[in-house]
Amino acid sequence: MTDGAGQETRTDAQQPSAEAERAGVGGYPIPDNVFALTVTEVEHYTDRLFRFRTTRPDSFRFRSGEFAMIGLPNAEKPVYRAYSMASPAWDETLEFFSIKVPDGPLTQHLQKIVPGDTVLMRKKPTGTLVLDALLPGKRLYMFSTGTGIAPFASLIRDPETYEKFEQVILTHTCRLGAELRYGEELVAAMRDDPLVGELVEGRLIHYTSVTRDPDYPRQGRITMLLENGTLSKDLDVPPLSAQEDRVMICGSMAMLQDLKRICLTRGLEEGANNKPGHFVIEKAFAE
C-alpha cells in the first residue's frame, strides 16, 4: 500500500499502450467507454476480503466517495459491478476493497488477480457519498459494514472532509475481528500521513464492532449501539441530531434500511447531489 501522500507513482511500463488498448486483452477488445487498468498490488486479508491497487488513467477524475463499474477482460460482454474508489481523489493510483464470493459472476475471478493483470473500469464515476450532498454541520458520521468502508477510506484521506467538519466518526462493523484489519491499518497509517496527519489528530475517530466474534472487545450491530446509546456514551458525544450531525451510510441492505429509519426518526432529511441534506445512502453495492 502506498502511504497517504500517494508516493507510489505510475511508470510508462505500467500504463497500457494505445495499441494494446485497441487490440484488447486476452483476445477481447476494450470498449471505447472503458479504461484498461494495470494491477500493481494485491493484498488478501481473509478468505472473504482483499484489496487491490491499479494504475490511474491521467484523464480519470472523480470526487472522493464516488464509485465506478469494474470488470475483467474475460468475455465478449464482461460482467461489471460497482466498486468505490477507496483511494482519495488526489491519489495517483486507484485502490479498491472487495469481498470474495465463491460463485460470484465477477469476484470468483477478480479475487485471483495478481500484479500485471488487467482490470476494466468504465470511465464515468458516480455516487451519493460525496461531501457536496450534505449540508454544513459539526460532526460527520460514516456508518459502514463489511466492504462498505471503501468510500470512507477515500473520504477520510481527503483534506476537504476536515475543512467541512470539526469531527469525523468512522464506524465499521464486521462479523469477525480479522475483517476489520483493512480499516484499522488505514487509520493507523494516517496518523503519520504528511498531507492529512495533522488534520486527523484528535478529530478522526474509528469505532469498530463485530457480530460473530466473542473474543472481540466490542460486540453488536451499529444500529443497536446507536439506538441504545452505547455509541454516544463510548465516544462522549451527544445523541444523533439534525442540528449538528451529518451522516453517510454504506453497507448491507438491512443496515441501510435500519439506519435510514433511525435518521428519519431523529429528524434528519435525506440528501442528494442536487439537493443536499442531513444524510446520504449508497445503495449501488449493498452487500
Side-chain angles (χ1 to χ4, degrees):
M1 179 184 291
T2 61
D3 64 24
Q7 294 300 309
E8 182 179 297
T9 58
R10 293 166 288 164
T11 66
D12 291 339
Q14 291 175 315
Q15 294 287 2
S17 67
E19 291 78 9
E21 288 196 3
R22 284 194 295 271
V25 180
Y28 297 105
I30 305 300
D32 291 339
N33 65 337
V34 170
F35 289 119
L37 312 177
T38 300
V39 177
T40 60
E41 188 178 347
V42 181
E43 182 175 3
H44 296 268
Y45 294 97
T46 70
D47 60 354
R48 296 183 71 247
L49 299 169
F50 73 107
R51 73 168 180 90
F52 60 98
R53 190 171 281 269
T54 73
T55 54
R56 176 177 176 174
D58 291 335
S59 62
F60 182 60
R61 298 289 181 269
F62 69 96
R63 293 178 294 174
S64 294
E66 288 189 315
F67 69 86
M69 303 303 292
I70 294 291
L72 289 171
N74 59 359
E76 196 70 40
K77 293 184 178 180
V79 173
Y80 289 91
R81 292 290 183 268
Y83 273 76
S84 289
M85 277 67 73
S87 45
W90 51 260
D91 204 329
E92 293 185 350
T93 60
L94 298 174
E95 183 175 283
F96 303 93
F97 186 44
S98 178
I99 194 170
K100 304 176 188 179
V101 180
D103 299 321
L106 175 61
T107 59
Q108 65 170 307
H109 306 294
L110 188 65
Q111 63 185 284
K112 299 174 184 176
I113 59 173
V114 296
D117 284 351
T118 298
V119 172
L120 305 180
M121 182 181 71
R122 288 183 178 160
K123 294 183 177 181
K124 183 176 175 57
T126 188
T128 56
L129 297 179
V130 292
L131 296 173
D132 293 341
L134 292 175
L135 295 167
K138 177 180 179 180
R139 191 178 297 106
L140 174 60
Y141 283 95
M142 300 174 174
F143 292 116
S144 68
T145 59
T147 55
I149 193 176
F152 304 141
S154 174
L155 283 158
I156 63 173
R157 288 186 272 185
D158 193 321
E160 186 181 357
T161 302
Y162 304 94
E163 294 171 3
K164 293 194 171 184
F165 296 96
E166 296 177 22
Q167 189 176 47
V168 178
I169 300 172
L170 169 63
T171 82
H172 191 201
T173 301
C174 293
R175 301 180 314 157
L176 308 173
E179 296 174 344
L180 297 167
R181 195 175 122 209
Y182 173 75
E184 291 171 340
E185 292 181 353
L186 173 64
V187 172
M190 287 180 61
R191 308 298 179 187
D192 298 320
D193 186 285
L195 183 63
V196 296
E198 292 184 1
L199 295 175
V200 305
E201 190 62 37
R203 298 172 63 191
L204 173 63
I205 296 174
H206 187 208
Y207 187 85
T208 57
S209 66
V210 299
T211 58
R212 302 184 191 178
D213 190 343
D215 296 325
Y216 198 77
R218 185 179 296 115
Q219 307 283 322
R221 299 182 183 281
I222 190 59
T223 48
M224 179 193 76
L225 298 171
L226 178 61
E227 286 195 290
N228 67 16
T230 299
L231 185 146
S232 294
K233 182 178 180 182
D234 288 347
L235 302 183
D236 192 25
V237 295
L240 190 68
S241 73
Q243 285 69 42
E244 293 188 333
D245 300 320
R246 303 295 173 259
V247 175
M248 291 179 162
I249 310 168
C250 189
S252 68
M253 186 57 70
M255 174 260 210
L256 300 184
Q257 294 171 344
D258 288 344
L259 277 173
K260 179 175 181 176
R261 172 184 54 79
I262 293 171
C263 286
L264 292 173
T265 301
R266 303 285 179 95
L268 281 72
E269 297 181 357
E270 187 169 2
N273 279 287
N274 60 353
K275 187 182 178 183
H278 303 111
F279 74 95
V280 286
I281 296 174
E282 188 54 79
K283 302 172 183 174
F285 34 80
E287 299 162 348

